[in-house]
Amino acid sequence: MSFQGSQPVAIVATAQTQWRATWSQAQHIDLIAAAVQNALKGSGLDIRDVDFVIDSGSDVLDGRSISNCGFLGAMGAHHKEESRVEDDGLWAAQYGVAKIASGSAQVGLIIAYSKPSESDVSQYYRTMADPFIQRPVGLDEESACGLQAQRYLHAHQLTPADLAEVTVAAWRKASSNPTVELDQVPSVSQVLASPMVASPLTQAMMARPVDGAVVMVLANASVARRVTTAPVWVKGIGAAMDSSVFAMRDAQFDVCRQAAQRAYARAGLSAAQMDLAETSATSAAAELMTLEALGLAEPGKAIDLFRQGRDAGINASGGALPANPIMATGLVRLSEAAQALWGQRTSSAKNSRRAVVHASSGIAAQSHCVFVVEVERP
Amino acid sequence: MSRVAIIGVGQTHHQRRRADVNVPGLVREAAQRALADAKLEMSDIDSVVVASGPVLFAAVNQPEKWVVDALGARGKPVVRITSGGGTGFAGALGGYYQVAGGQADRVLVVAYDKLSEGALQASISSLYDPFWGREFAVGIMGFSAAYWRARMDKLGHTEEAAARVVVKNLSNARMNPYAHVRKTVTVDDVLKSAPLAWPIKLLDVPPISDGAAAVVLTREDLAAQHTNTPAFIRGIAYCAEADNAPQRSMLMSEPLAHAARVVYRASGITNPRRQFDVVELQEPYSCFELSYYESLGLCPPGGAAELIASGATEMGGDIPVNPSGGCQGANPIGAAGLIRLVEAAMQVTGRAGEHQVPGARLAAAQTGGGWANLRGLAVVSAD
Amino acid sequence: MHLAPDTVPLDLPPLQSTIALPYRLTPGKATGTFLAELAARRIVGTRCLRCQRVEVPAQDVCSCGHAELEFVAVSTVGTLQSYTRMPDKTLGLIRLDGCDCDLLHRLHGDHEWAVGQRLQACWSDSPQAQALDLLGFEPAGQGAMAGLAPAAFEASREPLDSMATELKLHYQHAAGPYYGRLFDEMRTSGRIMGIRCSHCQSTLLPPRELCDVCYERTGTWADVADTGVLQAFSIIHLKFIGQRRDPPYVYAEVMLDGASTKIIHMLDGVDIEAAPARLKPGMRVKAVWKAERKGSLDDISHFELIDPI
């Protein structure tokens, strides 16, 4: 097989199931099948047009080894090329983009799904820590996020009330997002009063795991132009991973900054040119740190975006704090960005053209992936 | 138009148990060997793909995040790609597309498994649907044996034919310094060995191994900077089949046939038996090698027993299969698919040492995993 | 979410499932040394011979990417950089004197903590070659030796070369509407129901929303008999953890009459010795049901040959 240069790739359709604390009436395959069918519906494409499937999922979260091989039928992957990226769905999207960019395929499905309600989320994270030292000492998502948050607040003279403000802003936005099922938006004092998980983080400041599935349909230029008048082009992608030794990690998400720089450089764009940002995070502090690492604010200053009411384009979907499907979070961010750029989200600013989309994974965001996308309107 | 080249390969000397290194150490070893082979440092690498078997084989979730430090890859893009037994190859496929898609110029793909650390059959048994069959699971062995039994009647894949595969592969393994099983067996030894999941018997089963393999991939136009002996990937594909689909064939691997069709067309293969100089295929049990002879088109359906009996697939035959010894010589499952690709690259570049097939220029590398429903194939050439 | 006609989502309790697996892990040289030396109340790090960085715990590979390292015993006194209090424990990042990176460990005892505080190690009285032989760090006493440089290291014992551990993972799997109906019918009526693809008319068991081959929606439910054809089998002699029954037994894949997909089960009533020669794919089998059905594949105790061999 020969390939020629790097061809443009567009997002042409997407769908998400609703995100619920517990999808008690559905298996993984039911959620996946619903999301795939909805993504294709109205797209002008059907399953026969799909050349490949890249999926994202976790054996540990699913409770099943090689879980993708039991879900292939629901994914529409029968007799197609399929591969699993066992990381957040945004990395699966990166793989899909590479396949189409190489010219070896025209249309691909990127599928991510999660049912954290079926397993023990803290064990999912705890088992990432090395079994000899960090795991017995007690490194897990909560303790790592707590240390990270304490360091961040201390370095920038910020307070838990600032974290509560970010949390409330996220939940408020999510309450207008039809795909996120939630009961009520907490108040700042409710966030501060919720049980302490790992100081300074209270339970409410941690991202809430949810069940659901999300699908992106990617296509090359020739297909994209036939099926949509507004392809969302993937302009740049970057990724980077930090150390597994938590104590050696950079305190400011430097690897996120590197990933973002690579994505912006590939896109020939800068952070200032982004109209929208959709970011992943497992805590309110991590959300602030991520916004800074993406170049959307100076270190320690992301809180000003919220204090000064300049956060409309930041996680307009609500972001990851109210709805964190763990293995799918970054792909949901991409789906939200695409829908916002298509004007399908009432919350989004009109005439938004460009979005930066972020995923993170591993304990306290060890690894990061950034996409820069741009819609082309007729 | 450009192709993807393999410019460096490396593998550990696989063993039943490596007590001297942890998982990251094992991974580093293979990676360093591949980098040295390509005359590169880790700092020259743009992206890393890690592949390993199911997480439950060992006790660490998302292990690519654990091995990043030992690889010296902090700050780089690192991703893990998995596909059951086919993982090593699927990792290479992911790396291939990073290069072909213009996302990276130089990609390191490293695949491993440290099977000495866990309870293999028990962890594989969790592959089954918890609602529908897991209580009856016998890892991969149970259903592989059942499908073999079904193929015995329809295709003549006798116990004796499978035993010949074992004899051949163990004999070949003796000439492979990376393999660790060093015994000679006869057909009779295999036939008399203890049944584990009959018709699969003890000697039909590969060893449990700790091991890793790695390749460095780059674009054709950059290859000459690193090696005089690049191996080119002429075609590569990986195909899936729903594990409990209606009309699922037990006689032939349809996903492998699909992958072969795509790859053979891309590579100009019309007569695999005649055109390939050598084949490396991943036989998790001896019976699979017989099945793959047919799915790869080396012989017609039902012809595998005759092919192995003819000696054609032995070293010295006209279509040597598994000169490395295949999985019988070493089977770190997550790496096995990449080892096939590494061995194919070594063959076509004349660097397979004592298990070199003389004059080999065109090789096939095959892999498989899951519930026998994920299958991949690559064609590798010296030019 | 599409629901098949005449399917009502049933409130089946989720399936409880546990994956419990034992492991024997290899720590490698650096970690093995670090863990072993805790019993001697020593904290072992490594100094990189290339870049001179001192890292703790001891590493096999330095952050600079090179693996030429020497072991050093580092100070057990240091400065608190960051901490977090949890309901059951407090963790901190401590910069031990002379080291170039922080150490993640517990903060021990009921104390006030503050960034910049001087801390000293406290030790278990009964070390077991594990990380918590170092119980954690407590406020440094008056006599704590400050500023001790990392020192050349003489191993006092063999490094740890293996560590036993276990993963015990619990799950609650939702059945969903299709499996829900399947199991409800099995429990209440001893009836197996598959679902037909609206396009190819295959009957899928277990039932699901989409046909794997056609990717079309399934339509009507169909009765599947509890008799069928033994499609494939193997005779299990292998013992392994978590096995439901002691070998030998026959693992069976059965195509029930009316279904287009297999089910997996066991075949009883067959002479194990004679089976290799006498048992053949294609033979007809029937399910033997348990007296009490609960709504799972387990309601079928086993299969039997209709015509014994």
Side-chain angles (χ1 to χ4, degrees), chain B residues 6 89 232-236 256 259-260 263-264 267 269 271-273 275-282 292-293 295-298 319-324 336-348 357 360-367 376-382:
Chain B
I6 299 171
F89 185 102
F232 296 102
I233 297 176
R234 276 221 199 155
I236 188 166
L256 181 55
V263 168
Y264 288 174
S267 320
I269 304 292
N271 189 333
R273 167 81 186 266
Q275 288 174 273
F276 287 131
D277 298 314
V278 59
V279 174
E280 279 281 331
L281 55 82
Q282 182 180 359
Y292 295 151
Y293 288 169
S295 299
L296 291 174
L298 304 183
I319 181 72
V321 175
N322 284 342
S324 66
L338 187 61
I339 293 170
R340 306 281 75 74
L341 198 62
V342 164
E343 288 287 337
M346 286 161 61
Q347 290 286 343
V348 304
V357 171
R361 303 283 290 172
L362 191 67
Q366 179 273 344
T367 194
L377 180 65
V379 173
V380 178
S381 70

Side-chain angles (χ1 to χ4, degrees), chain A:
Chain A
M1 278 138 70
S2 306
F3 54 89
Q4 184 171 49
S6 177
Q7 303 190 21
V9 181
I11 300 163
V12 299
T14 181
Q16 306 171 27
T17 63
Q18 199 181 40
W19 301 100
R20 296 185 181 175
T22 308
W23 261 106
S24 59
Q25 297 298 334
Q27 287 200 25
H28 300 93
I29 52 173
D30 300 313
L31 297 169
I32 291 167
V36 172
Q37 289 177 90
N38 282 331
L40 292 173
K41 191 177 277 204
S43 70
L45 297 166
D46 81 25
I47 200 67
R48 287 166 303 180
D49 300 315
V50 172
D51 299 311
F52 68 88
V53 174
I54 308 288
D55 53 271
S56 164
S58 160
D59 285 357
V60 172
L61 215 51
D62 296 350
R64 189 168 173 177
S65 277
I66 325 174
S67 50
N68 59 313
C69 97
F71 301 163
L72 296 171
M75 290 181 178
H78 186 69
H79 290 180
K80 293 191 197 296
E81 193 153 87
E82 178 270 353
S83 221
R84 173 193 244 188
V85 171
E86 205 155 321
D87 211 326
D88 179 278
L90 198 61
W91 275 273
Q94 176 178 28
Y95 188 162
V97 168
K99 276 183 76 80
I100 297 174
S102 74
S104 82
Q106 298 181 287
V107 179
L109 288 184
I110 314 298
I111 301 175
Y113 65 88
S114 195
K115 288 205 79 194
S117 68
E118 298 202 349
S119 75
D120 178 345
V121 170
S122 67
Q123 210 167 25
Y124 163 83
Y125 282 108
R126 223 179 309 133
T127 50
M128 291 183 199
D130 79 87
F132 304 107
I133 301 176
Q134 294 185 104
R135 198 183 307 178
V137 163
L139 184 72
D140 59 21
E141 188 60 6
E142 289 161 343
S143 57
C145 284
L147 286 167
Q148 200 175 63
Q150 191 270 334
R151 237 182 347 191
Y152 178 74
L153 294 186
H154 185 83
H156 301 295
Q157 287 98 55
L158 296 169
T159 70
D162 295 313
L163 301 182
E165 192 177 337
V166 172
T167 303
V168 168
W171 281 78
R172 192 181 0 95
K173 288 165 183 166
S175 68
S176 334
N177 183 342
T179 54
V180 176
E181 184 193 67
L182 58 88
D183 287 332
Q184 58 164 48
V185 178
S187 66
V188 165
S189 55
Q190 282 172 326
V191 172
L192 290 169
S194 83
M196 187 70 71
V197 156
S199 64
L201 296 170
T202 64
Q203 185 62 61
M205 295 172 188
M206 299 295 294
R208 177 181 69 136
V210 289
D211 294 353
V214 55
V215 174
M216 309 293 300
V217 184
L218 303 180
N220 70 0
S222 118
V223 171
R225 294 203 186 288
R226 272 182 268 149
V227 304
T228 174
T229 53
V232 173
W233 298 105
V234 177
K235 302 296 289 181
I237 304 176
M241 183 185 282
D242 204 338
S243 174
S244 68
V245 182
F246 182 78
M248 297 216 228
R249 299 250 194 102
D250 177 77
Q252 312 236 67
F253 277 177
D254 189 60
V255 286
C256 179
R257 189 187 54 77
Q258 288 181 53
Q261 281 183 347
R262 286 178 193 144
Y264 291 135
R266 291 296 285 237
L269 294 167
S270 69
Q273 294 174 284
M274 300 297 111
D275 301 306
L276 302 174
E278 283 283 334
T279 70
S280 303
T282 52
S283 80
E287 180 157 317
L288 291 171
M289 292 167 64
T290 298
L291 293 170
E292 291 160 14
L294 292 176
L296 300 170
E298 291 299 304
K301 301 294 182 200
I303 189 63
D304 291 343
L305 295 168
F306 297 87
R307 286 177 183 160
Q308 295 163 11
R310 292 187 286 120
D311 64 309
I314 305 285
N315 288 325
S317 65
L321 298 179
N324 184 33
I326 303 181
M327 290 302 278
T329 312
L331 199 64
V332 175
R333 308 275 69 76
L334 188 64
S335 175
E336 287 294 333
Q339 293 185 71
L341 294 174
W342 285 325
Q344 290 168 0
R345 285 283 187 253
T346 52
S347 53
S348 56
K350 300 290 181 239
N351 305 317
S352 296
R353 275 191 61 208
R354 301 181 182 111
V356 58
V357 175
H358 164 267
S360 57
S361 71
I363 290 178
Q366 182 182 346
S367 194
H368 297 258
C369 183
V370 178
F371 269 52
V372 172
V373 300
E374 183 176 83
V375 71
E376 181 189 314
R377 296 211 181 84

